[in-house]
C-alpha cells in the first residue's frame, strides 16, 4: 500500500489540484511513491478546522499518513470591521488552534512529518481590484486583509512551529523576496497564480527532502515494467512479497 501525504488547509489547498497547482505537482513528483490526499476547505479558519481533525486524522488509523501540511491562517487574518470579519480569528487564538492541530496530529502518529505553511502575503490593491470586478460600485473601499496583518499571522505560525518542534514554510517572507511578487504570485491579491503555486511546491519539497521523504529515494509501490520477466512475470512480484 502506498503511504499517504495529506494536504490540510483552506481554499489555497483546495485549489492545489488545479492545472499548475502545488498539490498537482506533488502528485506528479510522488507518482507511484505516495498518494497525495487533498483536504482543503475554502473559507475555513483554524477555529473551524478543529472540527475536522478527528475525521481527517483519526486516532484509530493503523496506517496514518507519513506527512501532512497544515496551511491555515489566510482567513484567520481577515480584519474585524470589514467585509470578511466573520472569518477573523484573534492571533492568540490562531496560535492556540495551531497548537491543538499539531498536538492532535502528533498523537495520531508521533512519526508523521508535520509542515506548517504560513499565510501568503497580501496584495491589497489586488484585493480591491478583485472586489470591484465582482461587485462594481458596491465593492468594498478598504481591503478585508492587509499584508502587515498577514505578516503578523505568518510570524505567529513560525513561532508555533518552533515551539512544537515541527517544520515551517514562511511563505509570506519567501514570496516577498521576488520583485513584483504581487502580480507574479497572486491572482486576486490572495490566491495563487501558477508561479505562486510553484513557490509553495518547491518549498514543501525542500522540507520533505530534508526530512528523508525525497521521492527519488522512496520505493515504488510495484515493480517497474522493465523489471518484469515476460516469460516468468510472477517472479519479481514473488521476490518482493507481493504474491
Amino acid at each position: 500500500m502506498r503511504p499517504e501525504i495529506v494536504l490540510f488547509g483552506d481554499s489555497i489547498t483546495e485549489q492545489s489540484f488545479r492545472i499548475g497547482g502545488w498539490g498537482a505537482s506533488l502528485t506528479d513528483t510522488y507518482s507511484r511513491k505516495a498518494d497525495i490526499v487533498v483536504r482543503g476547505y475554502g473559507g475555513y479558519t483554524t477555529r473551524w478546522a478543529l472540527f475536522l481533525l478527528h475525521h481527517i486524522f483519526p486516532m484509530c488509523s493503523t496506517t496514518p499518513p507519513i506527512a501532512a501540511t497544515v496551511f491555515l491562517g489566510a482567513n484567520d487574518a481577515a480584519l474585524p470591521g470589514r467585509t470578511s470579519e466573520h472569518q477573523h480569528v484573534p492571533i492568540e487564538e490562531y496560535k492556540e488552534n495551531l497548537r491543538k492541530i499539531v498536538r492532535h496530529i502528533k498523537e495520531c502518529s508521533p512519526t508523521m512529518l508535520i509542515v506548517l505553511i504560513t499565510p501568503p502575503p497580501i496584495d491589497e490593491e489586488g484585493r480591491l481590484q478583485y472586489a470591484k470586478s465582482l461587485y462594481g460600485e458596491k465593492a468594498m473601499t478598504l481591503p478585508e486583509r492587509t499584508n502587515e496583518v498577514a505578516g503578523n499571522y505568518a510570524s505567529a505560525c513560525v513561532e508555533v512551529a518552533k515551539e512544537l518542534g515541527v517544520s515551517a514554510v514562511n511563505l509570506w517572507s519567501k514570496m516577498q523576496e521576488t520583485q513584483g511578487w504581487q502580480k507574479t504570485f497572486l491572482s486576486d491579491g490572495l490566491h495563487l497564480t501558477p508561479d505562486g503555486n510553484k513557490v509553495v511546491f518547491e518549498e514543501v519539497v525542500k522540507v520533505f527532502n530534508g526530512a528523508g521523504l525525497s521521492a527519488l529515494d522512496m520505493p515504488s509501490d510495484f515493480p517497474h515494467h522493465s523489471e518484469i520477466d515476460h516469460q516468468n512475470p510472477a517472479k519479481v512480484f514473488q521476490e518482493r512479497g507481493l504474491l
Side-chain angles (χ1 to χ4, degrees):
M1 180 181 294
R2 292 183 192 174
E4 289 186 348
I5 297 173
V6 174
L7 313 182
F8 182 37
D10 52 34
S11 58
I12 302 177
T13 297
E14 183 177 356
Q15 296 173 11
S16 69
F17 262 32
R18 293 181 177 180
I19 295 174
W22 63 278
S25 296
L26 284 173
T27 299
D28 181 51
T29 299
Y30 285 87
S31 175
R32 300 182 62 174
K33 305 295 184 73
D35 286 331
I36 308 299
V37 179
V38 173
R39 294 293 181 265
Y41 303 89
Y44 269 61
T45 66
T46 55
R47 182 183 294 167
W48 303 336
L50 294 178
F51 296 109
L52 310 182
L53 285 178
H54 290 280
H55 300 281
I56 297 173
F57 303 101
M59 292 296 181
C60 59
S61 176
T62 57
T63 56
I66 59 172
T69 60
V70 178
F71 195 169
L72 292 162
N75 295 318
D76 299 60
L79 298 174
R82 299 192 187 180
T83 55
S84 297
E85 66 178 352
H86 65 283
Q87 294 174 307
H88 173 71
V89 175
I91 196 164
E92 289 303 320
E93 181 186 345
Y94 168 68
K95 291 167 66 176
E96 184 57 27
N97 291 341
L98 284 181
R99 292 186 188 104
K100 290 177 180 178
I101 291 169
V102 171
R103 287 167 181 156
H104 175 91
I105 296 174
K106 284 188 172 185
E107 189 174 352
C108 175
S109 172
T111 61
M112 194 188 314
L113 172 65
I114 303 171
V115 185
L116 300 188
I117 305 176
T118 76
I122 298 295
D123 173 16
E124 296 164 31
E125 179 185 349
R127 292 306 290 163
L128 290 172
Q129 290 175 349
Y130 177 69
K132 288 179 181 178
S133 73
L134 292 179
Y135 307 113
E137 293 181 358
K138 296 181 179 179
M140 58 191 180
T141 57
L142 292 173
E144 87 286 39
R145 294 166 172 82
T146 66
N147 193 41
E148 179 182 2
V149 171
N152 293 337
Y153 280 72
S155 296
C157 179
V158 172
E159 182 182 330
V160 170
K162 290 179 180 178
E163 173 190 327
L164 299 181
V166 299
S167 299
V169 170
N170 193 336
L171 194 61
W172 187 86
S173 293
K174 182 64 180 179
M175 285 187 166
Q176 291 184 85
E177 293 175 2
T178 299
Q179 187 174 4
W181 58 269
Q182 292 91 337
K183 299 299 183 287
T184 300
F185 296 143
L186 304 174
S187 63
D188 59 2
L190 171 64
H191 296 92
L192 308 179
T193 64
D195 284 337
N197 275 280
K198 185 179 179 182
V199 174
V200 179
F201 165 70
E202 290 176 346
E203 292 302 303
V204 169
V205 166
K206 190 184 302 181
V207 175
F208 283 2
N209 290 348
L213 291 181
S214 167
L216 291 175
D217 297 332
M218 293 174 66
S220 296
D221 52 357
F222 294 112
H224 189 267
H225 67 84
S226 62
E227 301 176 78
I228 300 174
D229 183 345
H230 70 280
Q231 294 182 334
N232 184 13
K235 180 182 178 182
V236 68
F237 294 95
Q238 291 172 334
E239 291 174 345
R240 297 197 181 184
L242 298 171
L243 288 179

